[in-house]
Short mmCIF file of all heavy atoms in Angstrom, two decimals:
data_model
loop_
_atom_site.label_atom_id
_atom_site.label_comp_id
_atom_site.label_asym_id
_atom_site.label_seq_id
_atom_site.Cartn_x
_atom_site.Cartn_y
_atom_site.Cartn_z
N ASN Y 1 0.79 -1.25 -0.03
CA ASN Y 1 -0.02 0.04 0.01
C ASN Y 1 0.84 1.22 0.03
O ASN Y 1 0.55 2.20 0.70
CB ASN Y 1 -0.97 -0.03 1.15
CG ASN Y 1 -2.13 -0.92 1.03
OD1 ASN Y 1 -2.71 -1.04 -0.05
ND2 ASN Y 1 -2.44 -1.75 2.07
N ALA Y 2 1.88 1.26 -0.75
CA ALA Y 2 2.68 2.51 -0.96
C ALA Y 2 2.55 2.98 -2.40
O ALA Y 2 2.87 2.22 -3.40
CB ALA Y 2 4.15 2.27 -0.65
N SER Y 3 2.00 4.15 -2.57
CA SER Y 3 1.81 4.64 -3.97
C SER Y 3 3.03 5.18 -4.57
O SER Y 3 3.28 6.39 -4.78
CB SER Y 3 0.71 5.77 -3.96
OG SER Y 3 1.16 6.80 -3.08
N ILE Y 4 3.89 4.22 -5.01
CA ILE Y 4 5.21 4.52 -5.63
C ILE Y 4 5.08 4.27 -7.13
O ILE Y 4 4.60 3.26 -7.57
CB ILE Y 4 6.30 3.52 -5.00
CG1 ILE Y 4 6.39 3.81 -3.53
CG2 ILE Y 4 7.63 3.89 -5.65
CD1 ILE Y 4 7.35 2.82 -2.86
N LEU Y 5 5.61 5.27 -7.82
CA LEU Y 5 5.58 5.18 -9.29
C LEU Y 5 6.89 4.39 -9.69
O LEU Y 5 7.92 5.01 -9.86
CB LEU Y 5 5.53 6.55 -9.97
CG LEU Y 5 5.40 6.58 -11.54
CD1 LEU Y 5 4.21 5.84 -11.97
CD2 LEU Y 5 5.53 7.94 -12.03
N SER Y 6 6.71 3.13 -9.86
CA SER Y 6 7.85 2.25 -10.26
C SER Y 6 7.38 1.02 -10.93
O SER Y 6 6.32 0.47 -10.55
CB SER Y 6 8.58 1.85 -8.94
OG SER Y 6 9.54 0.81 -9.22
N TRP Y 7 8.08 0.60 -11.94
CA TRP Y 7 7.84 -0.61 -12.67
C TRP Y 7 8.54 -1.86 -12.08
O TRP Y 7 8.42 -2.93 -12.58
CB TRP Y 7 8.17 -0.44 -14.13
CG TRP Y 7 7.26 0.39 -14.92
CD1 TRP Y 7 7.53 1.69 -15.28
CD2 TRP Y 7 5.89 0.09 -15.36
NE1 TRP Y 7 6.45 2.24 -15.99
CE2 TRP Y 7 5.45 1.28 -16.05
CE3 TRP Y 7 5.09 -0.99 -15.26
CZ2 TRP Y 7 4.21 1.34 -16.59
CZ3 TRP Y 7 3.84 -0.93 -15.79
CH2 TRP Y 7 3.41 0.16 -16.48
N ASN Y 8 9.31 -1.60 -11.00
CA ASN Y 8 9.94 -2.76 -10.34
C ASN Y 8 8.93 -3.53 -9.54
O ASN Y 8 8.19 -3.04 -8.68
CB ASN Y 8 11.00 -2.21 -9.29
CG ASN Y 8 11.90 -3.28 -8.83
OD1 ASN Y 8 11.62 -4.49 -8.99
ND2 ASN Y 8 13.02 -2.92 -8.13
N LEU Y 9 8.82 -4.84 -9.86
CA LEU Y 9 7.87 -5.67 -9.22
C LEU Y 9 8.15 -5.92 -7.74
O LEU Y 9 7.24 -6.38 -6.96
CB LEU Y 9 7.79 -7.09 -9.95
CG LEU Y 9 7.42 -7.02 -11.47
CD1 LEU Y 9 7.32 -8.46 -11.98
CD2 LEU Y 9 5.98 -6.30 -11.58
N LEU Y 10 9.36 -5.67 -7.35
CA LEU Y 10 9.76 -5.88 -5.94
C LEU Y 10 9.58 -4.72 -5.00
O LEU Y 10 9.90 -4.66 -3.87
CB LEU Y 10 11.21 -6.43 -5.85
CG LEU Y 10 11.46 -7.63 -6.58
CD1 LEU Y 10 13.01 -8.03 -6.44
CD2 LEU Y 10 10.59 -8.81 -6.12
N ASP Y 11 9.03 -3.62 -5.62
CA ASP Y 11 8.70 -2.41 -4.86
C ASP Y 11 7.28 -2.50 -4.30
O ASP Y 11 6.44 -3.05 -4.98
CB ASP Y 11 8.80 -1.22 -5.68
CG ASP Y 11 10.31 -0.80 -5.90
OD1 ASP Y 11 11.14 -1.29 -5.15
OD2 ASP Y 11 10.58 -0.04 -6.88
N SER Y 12 7.02 -1.87 -3.23
CA SER Y 12 5.66 -1.83 -2.72
C SER Y 12 4.79 -0.97 -3.67
O SER Y 12 5.27 -0.09 -4.35
CB SER Y 12 5.63 -1.29 -1.29
OG SER Y 12 6.23 -2.06 -0.36
N THR Y 13 3.52 -1.31 -3.74
CA THR Y 13 2.64 -0.62 -4.73
C THR Y 13 1.26 -0.47 -4.06
O THR Y 13 0.96 -1.00 -2.92
CB THR Y 13 2.48 -1.49 -5.94
OG1 THR Y 13 1.90 -0.70 -7.00
CG2 THR Y 13 1.78 -2.73 -5.76
N ARG Y 14 0.45 0.21 -4.68
CA ARG Y 14 -0.99 0.50 -4.26
C ARG Y 14 -1.84 0.48 -5.46
O ARG Y 14 -1.61 1.05 -6.46
CB ARG Y 14 -1.02 1.87 -3.57
CG ARG Y 14 -2.33 2.14 -2.84
CD ARG Y 14 -2.25 3.49 -2.18
NE ARG Y 14 -3.46 3.79 -1.47
CZ ARG Y 14 -3.59 3.50 -0.08
NH1 ARG Y 14 -2.64 2.94 0.52
NH2 ARG Y 14 -4.81 3.82 0.51
N THR Y 15 -2.93 -0.27 -5.35
CA THR Y 15 -3.88 -0.44 -6.43
C THR Y 15 -5.09 0.50 -6.27
O THR Y 15 -5.36 1.04 -5.18
CB THR Y 15 -4.34 -1.92 -6.54
OG1 THR Y 15 -5.14 -2.29 -5.35
CG2 THR Y 15 -3.13 -2.86 -6.65
N ILE Y 16 -5.88 0.57 -7.34
CA ILE Y 16 -7.06 1.47 -7.25
C ILE Y 16 -8.11 0.87 -6.31
O ILE Y 16 -8.66 1.54 -5.42
CB ILE Y 16 -7.78 1.48 -8.61
CG1 ILE Y 16 -6.75 2.27 -9.64
CG2 ILE Y 16 -9.09 2.23 -8.57
CD1 ILE Y 16 -7.23 2.30 -11.04
N THR Y 17 -8.29 -0.39 -6.30
CA THR Y 17 -9.30 -1.07 -5.45
C THR Y 17 -8.91 -0.96 -3.98
O THR Y 17 -9.77 -0.70 -3.04
CB THR Y 17 -9.49 -2.56 -5.80
OG1 THR Y 17 -8.21 -3.21 -5.78
CG2 THR Y 17 -10.16 -2.68 -7.16
N ALA Y 18 -7.64 -1.13 -3.72
CA ALA Y 18 -7.16 -1.05 -2.34
C ALA Y 18 -7.33 0.44 -1.85
O ALA Y 18 -7.59 0.63 -0.62
CB ALA Y 18 -5.72 -1.51 -2.12
N THR Y 19 -7.07 1.38 -2.72
CA THR Y 19 -7.16 2.77 -2.30
C THR Y 19 -8.65 3.16 -1.93
O THR Y 19 -8.92 3.79 -0.98
CB THR Y 19 -6.72 3.69 -3.44
OG1 THR Y 19 -5.25 3.40 -3.76
CG2 THR Y 19 -6.82 5.15 -3.04
N ILE Y 20 -9.52 2.66 -2.73
CA ILE Y 20 -10.93 2.99 -2.51
C ILE Y 20 -11.44 2.30 -1.21
O ILE Y 20 -12.05 2.95 -0.36
CB ILE Y 20 -11.82 2.46 -3.67
CG1 ILE Y 20 -11.52 3.21 -5.01
CG2 ILE Y 20 -13.29 2.54 -3.36
CD1 ILE Y 20 -12.20 2.65 -6.21
N ALA Y 21 -10.96 1.04 -0.99
CA ALA Y 21 -11.36 0.33 0.18
C ALA Y 21 -10.74 0.92 1.52
O ALA Y 21 -11.42 0.98 2.53
CB ALA Y 21 -10.94 -1.11 0.09
N ALA Y 22 -9.51 1.44 1.40
CA ALA Y 22 -8.88 1.96 2.57
C ALA Y 22 -9.23 3.38 2.96
O ALA Y 22 -9.21 3.80 4.07
CB ALA Y 22 -7.39 1.84 2.36
N GLU Y 23 -9.66 4.16 1.87
CA GLU Y 23 -9.79 5.59 2.20
C GLU Y 23 -11.24 6.05 2.14
O GLU Y 23 -11.50 7.19 2.61
CB GLU Y 23 -8.96 6.38 1.12
CG GLU Y 23 -7.53 6.16 1.17
CD GLU Y 23 -6.67 6.92 0.23
OE1 GLU Y 23 -7.32 7.78 -0.45
OE2 GLU Y 23 -5.42 6.62 0.07
N LEU Y 24 -12.16 5.31 1.54
CA LEU Y 24 -13.54 5.82 1.39
C LEU Y 24 -14.24 6.09 2.69
O LEU Y 24 -14.95 6.97 2.88
CB LEU Y 24 -14.33 4.89 0.54
CG LEU Y 24 -15.73 5.35 0.12
CD1 LEU Y 24 -15.61 6.59 -0.69
CD2 LEU Y 24 -16.48 4.28 -0.66
N ALA Y 25 -13.88 5.22 3.68
CA ALA Y 25 -14.58 5.36 5.02
C ALA Y 25 -14.14 6.64 5.67
O ALA Y 25 -14.83 7.12 6.54
CB ALA Y 25 -14.34 4.13 5.80
N GLU Y 26 -12.96 7.09 5.41
CA GLU Y 26 -12.37 8.33 6.05
C GLU Y 26 -12.56 9.53 5.35
O GLU Y 26 -12.34 10.69 5.82
CB GLU Y 26 -10.86 8.08 6.32
CG GLU Y 26 -10.53 6.85 7.14
CD GLU Y 26 -9.03 6.66 7.30
OE1 GLU Y 26 -8.28 7.44 6.72
OE2 GLU Y 26 -8.58 5.70 7.90
N ALA Y 27 -13.11 9.50 4.08
CA ALA Y 27 -13.34 10.67 3.25
C ALA Y 27 -14.53 11.34 3.71
O ALA Y 27 -15.58 10.73 4.03
CB ALA Y 27 -13.41 10.34 1.81
N VAL Y 28 -14.52 12.67 3.67
CA VAL Y 28 -15.71 13.48 4.09
C VAL Y 28 -16.71 13.42 2.95
O VAL Y 28 -16.44 13.49 1.80
CB VAL Y 28 -15.30 14.92 4.34
CG1 VAL Y 28 -16.54 15.76 4.63
CG2 VAL Y 28 -14.29 15.05 5.43
N PHE Y 29 -18.00 13.09 3.32
CA PHE Y 29 -19.02 12.92 2.36
C PHE Y 29 -19.21 14.23 1.51
O PHE Y 29 -19.37 15.26 2.06
CB PHE Y 29 -20.36 12.61 3.01
CG PHE Y 29 -21.51 12.51 2.07
CD1 PHE Y 29 -21.69 11.28 1.34
CD2 PHE Y 29 -22.35 13.53 1.90
CE1 PHE Y 29 -22.78 11.22 0.47
CE2 PHE Y 29 -23.48 13.46 1.06
CZ PHE Y 29 -23.60 12.28 0.32
N GLY Y 30 -19.12 14.04 0.23
CA GLY Y 30 -19.24 15.23 -0.73
C GLY Y 30 -18.08 15.95 -0.91
O GLY Y 30 -17.98 17.02 -1.71
N GLY Y 31 -16.91 15.71 -0.14
CA GLY Y 31 -15.60 16.48 -0.32
C GLY Y 31 -14.92 16.10 -1.55
O GLY Y 31 -15.25 15.16 -2.29
#
């Protein structure tokens, strides 16, 4: 879950689905 811009497969990464699942509950409604 690190949003790193890298094509190296051994680097941590973050996907769209994981971002939505992890952050939607904390986002202010309508913000």
Side-chain angles (χ1 to χ4, degrees):
N1 286 318
S3 56
I4 301 174
L5 183 62
S6 169
W7 288 103
N8 189 351
L9 299 179
L10 300 181
D11 288 338
S12 295
T13 191
R14 190 178 182 92
T15 65
I16 295 175
T17 53
T19 301
I20 296 174
E23 299 179 7
L24 187 58
E26 301 177 358
V28 178
F29 177 79

